[in-house]
Amino acid sequence: MSTLSLADLTKRVAGTFVAHGCSEDTSASVARALVTAEADGLKGHGLSRVPTYLAMVKSGKIDGKAKPTASNPRPSVLAIDAAKGFAYPAIDLALAELPALAAKQGIAVAAIGNSNHCGAAGLPCEALAKKGLVALLFANTPSAMAPWGGREPVFGTNPIAFAAPLEGREPAVVDLALSKVARGPIVAAKQKGESIPEGWALDADGQATTDPVKALQGTMIPLGDAKGAALAFMVEILAACIPGAHLAFEASSFLDDKGGPPLTGQLLLTIDPAGFGHGRFGERMATLVAAIEGQQGARLPGSRRLANRAKAARDGLTVGPEIESILTEAASVKA
């Protein structure tokens, strides 16, 4: 194992994807997303994804040279084609275009199709919030959850993310999957040979399991039971039906190199709080935050990630043997 600074690790991860045939722009986008997620403590969306991503590129399930394109079918709408590549460059394109549209229209939205795993969904929302905007992201993922009362998976874990700006400090960020936990931690447990807590997932026979392998072959338990399943239905409409993407049960897995591109979707909604006829947004946010932080033990959503990020920026990140081997091999090939 080795410990690397965030800058060095990002450079090495990007170099690894270049060595495996991805374009430099795509590799840089993927590396930023993975290393930032790792630094934030979101390991299921961090370096653990490197082997799977590389396998998907090798098989053609992800086009590592794809360049996303955008059209503007309505004044406040971006329609983005991820072109069967990584989601991250398509999201970067949305982040570049949405602020100007939101400033002009008050509200702007990007619908991304022909996409893939979008990683830590809170990060693009946070990037928009740092520009003074309120943002919501909805993403559909390959099938993992059954409709409430059913047995066959129809919905993905379908994350929802949200961020809002705060004056003089980092934005407040909410990022949650609609299963009791995201699949990422289960994948990480499988890689480490560890069990998972009971109550996270069911096996293929609908029985509770603590085995991550059986969990990945079965279904996830919705957050809030029937309410979580209803929210997953809502996200499926927003993130798949509106962008014209594959539904969860039509999408191939994000976790292996089998099948064709998953062609999932994302919807990124951006709101300019200055566009609603008053100037009270900042003051209202400050009052809300004070009511939360004034209570002993209470904290804003996302504050733990900021603490993890600060520690990683100071101390660097430790890279496990499997990922270190991949990075080292790629560096030797490039040399």
PDB file of all heavy atoms in Angstrom, residues 226-265:
ATOM      1  N   ALA A 226     -42.046   0.997   1.377  1.00  0.00           N
ATOM      2  CA  ALA A 226     -42.915   1.364   0.258  1.00  0.00           C
ATOM      3  C   ALA A 226     -42.661   2.793  -0.218  1.00  0.00           C
ATOM      4  O   ALA A 226     -42.755   3.088  -1.415  1.00  0.00           O
ATOM      5  CB  ALA A 226     -44.384   1.210   0.665  1.00  0.00           C
ATOM      6  N   LYS A 227     -42.303   3.696   0.703  1.00  0.00           N
ATOM      7  CA  LYS A 227     -42.046   5.082   0.311  1.00  0.00           C
ATOM      8  C   LYS A 227     -40.803   5.169  -0.568  1.00  0.00           C
ATOM      9  O   LYS A 227     -40.770   5.936  -1.538  1.00  0.00           O
ATOM     10  CB  LYS A 227     -41.889   5.959   1.548  1.00  0.00           C
ATOM     11  CG  LYS A 227     -43.169   6.093   2.364  1.00  0.00           C
ATOM     12  CD  LYS A 227     -42.952   6.950   3.609  1.00  0.00           C
ATOM     13  CE  LYS A 227     -44.228   7.063   4.423  1.00  0.00           C
ATOM     14  NZ  LYS A 227     -44.032   7.867   5.651  1.00  0.00           N
ATOM     15  N   GLY A 228     -39.786   4.391  -0.238  1.00  0.00           N
ATOM     16  CA  GLY A 228     -38.582   4.384  -1.056  1.00  0.00           C
ATOM     17  C   GLY A 228     -38.837   3.830  -2.438  1.00  0.00           C
ATOM     18  O   GLY A 228     -38.292   4.328  -3.431  1.00  0.00           O
ATOM     19  N   ALA A 229     -39.660   2.798  -2.525  1.00  0.00           N
ATOM     20  CA  ALA A 229     -39.999   2.233  -3.832  1.00  0.00           C
ATOM     21  C   ALA A 229     -40.767   3.247  -4.669  1.00  0.00           C
ATOM     22  O   ALA A 229     -40.565   3.341  -5.885  1.00  0.00           O
ATOM     23  CB  ALA A 229     -40.809   0.949  -3.649  1.00  0.00           C
ATOM     24  N   ALA A 230     -41.644   4.020  -4.031  1.00  0.00           N
ATOM     25  CA  ALA A 230     -42.384   5.058  -4.763  1.00  0.00           C
ATOM     26  C   ALA A 230     -41.452   6.149  -5.273  1.00  0.00           C
ATOM     27  O   ALA A 230     -41.605   6.641  -6.399  1.00  0.00           O
ATOM     28  CB  ALA A 230     -43.461   5.656  -3.859  1.00  0.00           C
ATOM     29  N   LEU A 231     -40.482   6.533  -4.446  1.00  0.00           N
ATOM     30  CA  LEU A 231     -39.505   7.527  -4.891  1.00  0.00           C
ATOM     31  C   LEU A 231     -38.650   6.990  -6.035  1.00  0.00           C
ATOM     32  O   LEU A 231     -38.304   7.731  -6.963  1.00  0.00           O
ATOM     33  CB  LEU A 231     -38.618   7.947  -3.723  1.00  0.00           C
ATOM     34  CG  LEU A 231     -39.258   8.877  -2.689  1.00  0.00           C
ATOM     35  CD1 LEU A 231     -38.337   9.028  -1.481  1.00  0.00           C
ATOM     36  CD2 LEU A 231     -39.558  10.233  -3.295  1.00  0.00           C
ATOM     37  N   ALA A 232     -38.294   5.707  -6.000  1.00  0.00           N
ATOM     38  CA  ALA A 232     -37.518   5.104  -7.084  1.00  0.00           C
ATOM     39  C   ALA A 232     -38.302   5.147  -8.392  1.00  0.00           C
ATOM     40  O   ALA A 232     -37.730   5.377  -9.465  1.00  0.00           O
ATOM     41  CB  ALA A 232     -37.141   3.672  -6.730  1.00  0.00           C
ATOM     42  N   PHE A 233     -39.609   4.935  -8.320  1.00  0.00           N
ATOM     43  CA  PHE A 233     -40.484   5.066  -9.492  1.00  0.00           C
ATOM     44  C   PHE A 233     -40.414   6.487 -10.043  1.00  0.00           C
ATOM     45  O   PHE A 233     -40.288   6.707 -11.254  1.00  0.00           O
ATOM     46  CB  PHE A 233     -41.914   4.702  -9.085  1.00  0.00           C
ATOM     47  CG  PHE A 233     -42.960   5.022 -10.110  1.00  0.00           C
ATOM     48  CD1 PHE A 233     -43.048   4.290 -11.285  1.00  0.00           C
ATOM     49  CD2 PHE A 233     -43.877   6.043  -9.892  1.00  0.00           C
ATOM     50  CE1 PHE A 233     -44.027   4.584 -12.231  1.00  0.00           C
ATOM     51  CE2 PHE A 233     -44.855   6.337 -10.815  1.00  0.00           C
ATOM     52  CZ  PHE A 233     -44.938   5.603 -12.003  1.00  0.00           C
ATOM     53  N   MET A 234     -40.475   7.462  -9.162  1.00  0.00           N
ATOM     54  CA  MET A 234     -40.395   8.867  -9.569  1.00  0.00           C
ATOM     55  C   MET A 234     -39.067   9.163 -10.267  1.00  0.00           C
ATOM     56  O   MET A 234     -39.034   9.796 -11.332  1.00  0.00           O
ATOM     57  CB  MET A 234     -40.547   9.757  -8.344  1.00  0.00           C
ATOM     58  CG  MET A 234     -40.445  11.254  -8.622  1.00  0.00           C
ATOM     59  SD  MET A 234     -40.354  12.214  -7.085  1.00  0.00           S
ATOM     60  CE  MET A 234     -38.621  11.968  -6.652  1.00  0.00           C
ATOM     61  N   VAL A 235     -37.970   8.701  -9.675  1.00  0.00           N
ATOM     62  CA  VAL A 235     -36.651   8.958 -10.263  1.00  0.00           C
ATOM     63  C   VAL A 235     -36.510   8.260 -11.607  1.00  0.00           C
ATOM     64  O   VAL A 235     -35.907   8.800 -12.542  1.00  0.00           O
ATOM     65  CB  VAL A 235     -35.531   8.521  -9.295  1.00  0.00           C
ATOM     66  CG1 VAL A 235     -34.162   8.608  -9.963  1.00  0.00           C
ATOM     67  CG2 VAL A 235     -35.561   9.390  -8.046  1.00  0.00           C
ATOM     68  N   GLU A 236     -37.083   7.067 -11.735  1.00  0.00           N
ATOM     69  CA  GLU A 236     -37.019   6.345 -13.013  1.00  0.00           C
ATOM     70  C   GLU A 236     -37.655   7.181 -14.135  1.00  0.00           C
ATOM     71  O   GLU A 236     -37.131   7.247 -15.255  1.00  0.00           O
ATOM     72  CB  GLU A 236     -37.736   5.003 -12.877  1.00  0.00           C
ATOM     73  CG  GLU A 236     -37.381   3.993 -13.943  1.00  0.00           C
ATOM     74  CD  GLU A 236     -35.963   3.453 -13.801  1.00  0.00           C
ATOM     75  OE1 GLU A 236     -35.435   3.381 -12.681  1.00  0.00           O
ATOM     76  OE2 GLU A 236     -35.386   3.094 -14.845  1.00  0.00           O
ATOM     77  N   ILE A 237     -38.743   7.845 -13.818  1.00  0.00           N
ATOM     78  CA  ILE A 237     -39.404   8.708 -14.810  1.00  0.00           C
ATOM     79  C   ILE A 237     -38.521   9.906 -15.146  1.00  0.00           C
ATOM     80  O   ILE A 237     -38.302  10.238 -16.323  1.00  0.00           O
ATOM     81  CB  ILE A 237     -40.775   9.164 -14.280  1.00  0.00           C
ATOM     82  CG1 ILE A 237     -41.719   7.966 -14.158  1.00  0.00           C
ATOM     83  CG2 ILE A 237     -41.379  10.233 -15.198  1.00  0.00           C
ATOM     84  CD1 ILE A 237     -42.994   8.259 -13.404  1.00  0.00           C
ATOM     85  N   LEU A 238     -37.990  10.568 -14.112  1.00  0.00           N
ATOM     86  CA  LEU A 238     -37.194  11.776 -14.325  1.00  0.00           C
ATOM     87  C   LEU A 238     -35.875  11.485 -15.033  1.00  0.00           C
ATOM     88  O   LEU A 238     -35.450  12.253 -15.903  1.00  0.00           O
ATOM     89  CB  LEU A 238     -36.921  12.458 -12.982  1.00  0.00           C
ATOM     90  CG  LEU A 238     -38.130  13.065 -12.273  1.00  0.00           C
ATOM     91  CD1 LEU A 238     -37.750  13.477 -10.854  1.00  0.00           C
ATOM     92  CD2 LEU A 238     -38.676  14.260 -13.046  1.00  0.00           C
ATOM     93  N   ALA A 239     -35.223  10.389 -14.654  1.00  0.00           N
ATOM     94  CA  ALA A 239     -33.864  10.141 -15.139  1.00  0.00           C
ATOM     95  C   ALA A 239     -33.810   9.239 -16.362  1.00  0.00           C
ATOM     96  O   ALA A 239     -32.786   9.225 -17.057  1.00  0.00           O
ATOM     97  CB  ALA A 239     -33.019   9.522 -14.028  1.00  0.00           C
ATOM     98  N   ALA A 240     -34.867   8.485 -16.638  1.00  0.00           N
ATOM     99  CA  ALA A 240     -34.870   7.598 -17.803  1.00  0.00           C
ATOM    100  C   ALA A 240     -35.900   8.013 -18.838  1.00  0.00           C
ATOM    101  O   ALA A 240     -35.571   8.191 -20.013  1.00  0.00           O
ATOM    102  CB  ALA A 240     -35.112   6.157 -17.367  1.00  0.00           C
ATOM    103  N   CYS A 241     -37.141   8.196 -18.414  1.00  0.00           N
ATOM    104  CA  CYS A 241     -38.187   8.504 -19.393  1.00  0.00           C
ATOM    105  C   CYS A 241     -37.989   9.878 -20.028  1.00  0.00           C
ATOM    106  O   CYS A 241     -38.150  10.037 -21.247  1.00  0.00           O
ATOM    107  CB  CYS A 241     -39.562   8.404 -18.732  1.00  0.00           C
ATOM    108  SG  CYS A 241     -39.973   6.736 -18.163  1.00  0.00           S
ATOM    109  N   ILE A 242     -37.643  10.888 -19.230  1.00  0.00           N
ATOM    110  CA  ILE A 242     -37.454  12.223 -19.800  1.00  0.00           C
ATOM    111  C   ILE A 242     -36.239  12.281 -20.722  1.00  0.00           C
ATOM    112  O   ILE A 242     -36.334  12.800 -21.842  1.00  0.00           O
ATOM    113  CB  ILE A 242     -37.393  13.286 -18.687  1.00  0.00           C
ATOM    114  CG1 ILE A 242     -38.796  13.488 -18.089  1.00  0.00           C
ATOM    115  CG2 ILE A 242     -36.855  14.617 -19.221  1.00  0.00           C
ATOM    116  CD1 ILE A 242     -38.878  14.501 -16.984  1.00  0.00           C
ATOM    117  N   PRO A 243     -35.067  11.751 -20.346  1.00  0.00           N
ATOM    118  CA  PRO A 243     -33.932  11.774 -21.276  1.00  0.00           C
ATOM    119  C   PRO A 243     -34.037  10.748 -22.409  1.00  0.00           C
ATOM    120  O   PRO A 243     -33.221  10.756 -23.336  1.00  0.00           O
ATOM    121  CB  PRO A 243     -32.725  11.453 -20.398  1.00  0.00           C
ATOM    122  CG  PRO A 243     -33.175  11.671 -18.996  1.00  0.00           C
ATOM    123  CD  PRO A 243     -34.630  11.332 -19.008  1.00  0.00           C
ATOM    124  N   GLY A 244     -35.023   9.836 -22.337  1.00  0.00           N
ATOM    125  CA  GLY A 244     -35.133   8.797 -23.350  1.00  0.00           C
ATOM    126  C   GLY A 244     -34.097   7.709 -23.168  1.00  0.00           C
ATOM    127  O   GLY A 244     -33.659   7.083 -24.135  1.00  0.00           O
ATOM    128  N   ALA A 245     -33.717   7.446 -21.928  1.00  0.00           N
ATOM    129  CA  ALA A 245     -32.668   6.474 -21.619  1.00  0.00           C
ATOM    130  C   ALA A 245     -33.272   5.096 -21.361  1.00  0.00           C
ATOM    131  O   ALA A 245     -34.497   4.922 -21.302  1.00  0.00           O
ATOM    132  CB  ALA A 245     -31.885   6.940 -20.392  1.00  0.00           C
ATOM    133  N   HIS A 246     -32.392   4.108 -21.226  1.00  0.00           N
ATOM    134  CA  HIS A 246     -32.848   2.784 -20.827  1.00  0.00           C
ATOM    135  C   HIS A 246     -33.464   2.835 -19.442  1.00  0.00           C
ATOM    136  O   HIS A 246     -32.964   3.520 -18.542  1.00  0.00           O
ATOM    137  CB  HIS A 246     -31.670   1.806 -20.795  1.00  0.00           C
ATOM    138  CG  HIS A 246     -31.446   1.107 -22.102  1.00  0.00           C
ATOM    139  ND1 HIS A 246     -30.431   0.194 -22.289  1.00  0.00           N
ATOM    140  CD2 HIS A 246     -32.097   1.168 -23.287  1.00  0.00           C
ATOM    141  CE1 HIS A 246     -30.475  -0.263 -23.526  1.00  0.00           C
ATOM    142  NE2 HIS A 246     -31.474   0.311 -24.151  1.00  0.00           N
ATOM    143  N   LEU A 247     -34.542   2.098 -19.265  1.00  0.00           N
ATOM    144  CA  LEU A 247     -35.077   1.864 -17.937  1.00  0.00           C
ATOM    145  C   LEU A 247     -34.137   0.931 -17.185  1.00  0.00           C
ATOM    146  O   LEU A 247     -33.322   0.227 -17.785  1.00  0.00           O
ATOM    147  CB  LEU A 247     -36.473   1.267 -18.029  1.00  0.00           C
ATOM    148  CG  LEU A 247     -37.526   2.179 -18.677  1.00  0.00           C
ATOM    149  CD1 LEU A 247     -38.750   1.370 -19.061  1.00  0.00           C
ATOM    150  CD2 LEU A 247     -37.901   3.333 -17.757  1.00  0.00           C
ATOM    151  N   ALA A 248     -34.276   0.915 -15.863  1.00  0.00           N
ATOM    152  CA  ALA A 248     -33.355   0.129 -15.037  1.00  0.00           C
ATOM    153  C   ALA A 248     -33.296  -1.324 -15.471  1.00  0.00           C
ATOM    154  O   ALA A 248     -32.215  -1.923 -15.568  1.00  0.00           O
ATOM    155  CB  ALA A 248     -33.771   0.232 -13.571  1.00  0.00           C
ATOM    156  N   PHE A 249     -34.466  -1.935 -15.756  1.00  0.00           N
ATOM    157  CA  PHE A 249     -34.489  -3.358 -16.085  1.00  0.00           C
ATOM    158  C   PHE A 249     -34.039  -3.631 -17.514  1.00  0.00           C
ATOM    159  O   PHE A 249     -33.880  -4.790 -17.906  1.00  0.00           O
ATOM    160  CB  PHE A 249     -35.877  -3.962 -15.812  1.00  0.00           C
ATOM    161  CG  PHE A 249     -37.005  -3.308 -16.566  1.00  0.00           C
ATOM    162  CD1 PHE A 249     -37.324  -3.704 -17.856  1.00  0.00           C
ATOM    163  CD2 PHE A 249     -37.756  -2.311 -15.981  1.00  0.00           C
ATOM    164  CE1 PHE A 249     -38.375  -3.115 -18.544  1.00  0.00           C
ATOM    165  CE2 PHE A 249     -38.809  -1.709 -16.651  1.00  0.00           C
ATOM    166  CZ  PHE A 249     -39.115  -2.104 -17.944  1.00  0.00           C
ATOM    167  N   GLU A 250     -33.812  -2.574 -18.311  1.00  0.00           N
ATOM    168  CA  GLU A 250     -33.262  -2.730 -19.651  1.00  0.00           C
ATOM    169  C   GLU A 250     -31.751  -2.529 -19.676  1.00  0.00           C
ATOM    170  O   GLU A 250     -31.089  -2.851 -20.671  1.00  0.00           O
ATOM    171  CB  GLU A 250     -33.898  -1.711 -20.603  1.00  0.00           C
ATOM    172  CG  GLU A 250     -35.392  -1.869 -20.777  1.00  0.00           C
ATOM    173  CD  GLU A 250     -36.028  -0.717 -21.536  1.00  0.00           C
ATOM    174  OE1 GLU A 250     -35.554   0.425 -21.385  1.00  0.00           O
ATOM    175  OE2 GLU A 250     -36.988  -0.962 -22.287  1.00  0.00           O
ATOM    176  N   ALA A 251     -31.198  -1.973 -18.606  1.00  0.00           N
ATOM    177  CA  ALA A 251     -29.792  -1.582 -18.570  1.00  0.00           C
ATOM    178  C   ALA A 251     -28.901  -2.740 -18.137  1.00  0.00           C
ATOM    179  O   ALA A 251     -29.253  -3.508 -17.236  1.00  0.00           O
ATOM    180  CB  ALA A 251     -29.604  -0.403 -17.623  1.00  0.00           C
ATOM    181  N   SER A 252     -27.740  -2.845 -18.762  1.00  0.00           N
ATOM    182  CA  SER A 252     -26.742  -3.811 -18.316  1.00  0.00           C
ATOM    183  C   SER A 252     -26.070  -3.294 -17.042  1.00  0.00           C
ATOM    184  O   SER A 252     -26.169  -2.120 -16.697  1.00  0.00           O
ATOM    185  CB  SER A 252     -25.695  -4.033 -19.407  1.00  0.00           C
ATOM    186  OG  SER A 252     -25.044  -2.813 -19.724  1.00  0.00           O
ATOM    187  N   SER A 253     -25.361  -4.156 -16.356  1.00  0.00           N
ATOM    188  CA  SER A 253     -24.795  -3.837 -15.056  1.00  0.00           C
ATOM    189  C   SER A 253     -23.678  -2.805 -15.138  1.00  0.00           C
ATOM    190  O   SER A 253     -22.928  -2.755 -16.111  1.00  0.00           O
ATOM    191  CB  SER A 253     -24.245  -5.112 -14.416  1.00  0.00           C
ATOM    192  OG  SER A 253     -23.588  -4.837 -13.208  1.00  0.00           O
ATOM    193  N   PHE A 254     -23.568  -1.996 -14.080  1.00  0.00           N
ATOM    194  CA  PHE A 254     -22.415  -1.105 -13.906  1.00  0.00           C
ATOM    195  C   PHE A 254     -21.224  -1.850 -13.289  1.00  0.00           C
ATOM    196  O   PHE A 254     -20.162  -1.261 -13.121  1.00  0.00           O
ATOM    197  CB  PHE A 254     -22.760   0.040 -12.932  1.00  0.00           C
ATOM    198  CG  PHE A 254     -23.710   1.083 -13.457  1.00  0.00           C
ATOM    199  CD1 PHE A 254     -24.377   1.918 -12.563  1.00  0.00           C
ATOM    200  CD2 PHE A 254     -23.923   1.269 -14.806  1.00  0.00           C
ATOM    201  CE1 PHE A 254     -25.237   2.909 -13.006  1.00  0.00           C
ATOM    202  CE2 PHE A 254     -24.801   2.240 -15.265  1.00  0.00           C
ATOM    203  CZ  PHE A 254     -25.449   3.068 -14.363  1.00  0.00           C
ATOM    204  N   LEU A 255     -21.413  -3.109 -12.934  1.00  0.00           N
ATOM    205  CA  LEU A 255     -20.445  -3.802 -12.094  1.00  0.00           C
ATOM    206  C   LEU A 255     -19.604  -4.831 -12.827  1.00  0.00           C
ATOM    207  O   LEU A 255     -18.781  -5.511 -12.216  1.00  0.00           O
ATOM    208  CB  LEU A 255     -21.173  -4.481 -10.926  1.00  0.00           C
ATOM    209  CG  LEU A 255     -22.014  -3.546 -10.045  1.00  0.00           C
ATOM    210  CD1 LEU A 255     -22.787  -4.347  -9.018  1.00  0.00           C
ATOM    211  CD2 LEU A 255     -21.132  -2.505  -9.373  1.00  0.00           C
ATOM    212  N   ASP A 256     -19.819  -4.997 -14.147  1.00  0.00           N
ATOM    213  CA  ASP A 256     -19.027  -5.973 -14.895  1.00  0.00           C
ATOM    214  C   ASP A 256     -18.925  -5.525 -16.349  1.00  0.00           C
ATOM    215  O   ASP A 256     -19.454  -4.492 -16.742  1.00  0.00           O
ATOM    216  CB  ASP A 256     -19.627  -7.377 -14.773  1.00  0.00           C
ATOM    217  CG  ASP A 256     -21.059  -7.465 -15.307  1.00  0.00           C
ATOM    218  OD1 ASP A 256     -21.347  -6.873 -16.364  1.00  0.00           O
ATOM    219  OD2 ASP A 256     -21.893  -8.140 -14.672  1.00  0.00           O
ATOM    220  N   ASP A 257     -18.220  -6.349 -17.140  1.00  0.00           N
ATOM    221  CA  ASP A 257     -18.001  -6.013 -18.551  1.00  0.00           C
ATOM    222  C   ASP A 257     -18.919  -6.791 -19.475  1.00  0.00           C
ATOM    223  O   ASP A 257     -18.678  -6.879 -20.678  1.00  0.00           O
ATOM    224  CB  ASP A 257     -16.533  -6.270 -18.926  1.00  0.00           C
ATOM    225  CG  ASP A 257     -16.098  -7.700 -18.657  1.00  0.00           C
ATOM    226  OD1 ASP A 257     -16.924  -8.497 -18.148  1.00  0.00           O
ATOM    227  OD2 ASP A 257     -14.937  -8.030 -18.961  1.00  0.00           O
ATOM    228  N   LYS A 258     -20.001  -7.360 -18.936  1.00  0.00           N
ATOM    229  CA  LYS A 258     -20.920  -8.179 -19.720  1.00  0.00           C
ATOM    230  C   LYS A 258     -21.993  -7.316 -20.389  1.00  0.00           C
ATOM    231  O   LYS A 258     -22.507  -6.374 -19.798  1.00  0.00           O
ATOM    232  CB  LYS A 258     -21.596  -9.220 -18.830  1.00  0.00           C
ATOM    233  CG  LYS A 258     -20.639 -10.072 -18.009  1.00  0.00           C
ATOM    234  CD  LYS A 258     -19.710 -10.893 -18.894  1.00  0.00           C
ATOM    235  CE  LYS A 258     -18.911 -11.906 -18.091  1.00  0.00           C
ATOM    236  NZ  LYS A 258     -17.951 -11.261 -17.148  1.00  0.00           N
ATOM    237  N   GLY A 259     -22.331  -7.672 -21.626  1.00  0.00           N
ATOM    238  CA  GLY A 259     -23.405  -6.980 -22.318  1.00  0.00           C
ATOM    239  C   GLY A 259     -22.949  -5.692 -22.974  1.00  0.00           C
ATOM    240  O   GLY A 259     -21.773  -5.327 -22.959  1.00  0.00           O
ATOM    241  N   GLY A 260     -23.922  -4.975 -23.538  1.00  0.00           N
ATOM    242  CA  GLY A 260     -23.625  -3.711 -24.190  1.00  0.00           C
ATOM    243  C   GLY A 260     -23.669  -2.556 -23.219  1.00  0.00           C
ATOM    244  O   GLY A 260     -23.850  -2.737 -22.010  1.00  0.00           O
ATOM    245  N   PRO A 261     -23.492  -1.328 -23.716  1.00  0.00           N
ATOM    246  CA  PRO A 261     -23.559  -0.147 -22.853  1.00  0.00           C
ATOM    247  C   PRO A 261     -24.894  -0.076 -22.110  1.00  0.00           C
ATOM    248  O   PRO A 261     -25.934  -0.390 -22.685  1.00  0.00           O
ATOM    249  CB  PRO A 261     -23.411   1.016 -23.838  1.00  0.00           C
ATOM    250  CG  PRO A 261     -22.710   0.438 -25.018  1.00  0.00           C
ATOM    251  CD  PRO A 261     -23.205  -0.983 -25.121  1.00  0.00           C
ATOM    252  N   PRO A 262     -24.883   0.336 -20.844  1.00  0.00           N
ATOM    253  CA  PRO A 262     -26.136   0.377 -20.072  1.00  0.00           C
ATOM    254  C   PRO A 262     -27.121   1.443 -20.544  1.00  0.00           C
ATOM    255  O   PRO A 262     -28.322   1.298 -20.349  1.00  0.00           O
ATOM    256  CB  PRO A 262     -25.673   0.638 -18.638  1.00  0.00           C
ATOM    257  CG  PRO A 262     -24.292   1.188 -18.755  1.00  0.00           C
ATOM    258  CD  PRO A 262     -23.712   0.600 -19.999  1.00  0.00           C
ATOM    259  N   LEU A 263     -26.611   2.541 -21.101  1.00  0.00           N
ATOM    260  CA  LEU A 263     -27.464   3.589 -21.697  1.00  0.00           C
ATOM    261  C   LEU A 263     -28.466   4.162 -20.706  1.00  0.00           C
ATOM    262  O   LEU A 263     -29.621   4.447 -21.048  1.00  0.00           O
ATOM    263  CB  LEU A 263     -28.186   3.061 -22.941  1.00  0.00           C
ATOM    264  CG  LEU A 263     -27.296   2.435 -24.024  1.00  0.00           C
ATOM    265  CD1 LEU A 263     -28.141   1.935 -25.187  1.00  0.00           C
ATOM    266  CD2 LEU A 263     -26.237   3.406 -24.508  1.00  0.00           C
ATOM    267  N   THR A 264     -28.042   4.331 -19.469  1.00  0.00           N
ATOM    268  CA  THR A 264     -28.891   4.924 -18.443  1.00  0.00           C
ATOM    269  C   THR A 264     -28.908   6.450 -18.593  1.00  0.00           C
ATOM    270  O   THR A 264     -28.312   7.004 -19.511  1.00  0.00           O
ATOM    271  CB  THR A 264     -28.390   4.534 -17.050  1.00  0.00           C
ATOM    272  OG1 THR A 264     -26.983   4.797 -16.980  1.00  0.00           O
ATOM    273  CG2 THR A 264     -28.640   3.061 -16.775  1.00  0.00           C
ATOM    274  N   GLY A 265     -29.617   7.129 -17.680  1.00  0.00           N
ATOM    275  CA  GLY A 265     -29.763   8.577 -17.817  1.00  0.00           C
ATOM    276  C   GLY A 265     -29.619   9.330 -16.514  1.00  0.00           C
ATOM    277  O   GLY A 265     -29.646   8.748 -15.422  1.00  0.00           O
TER     278      GLY A 265
END
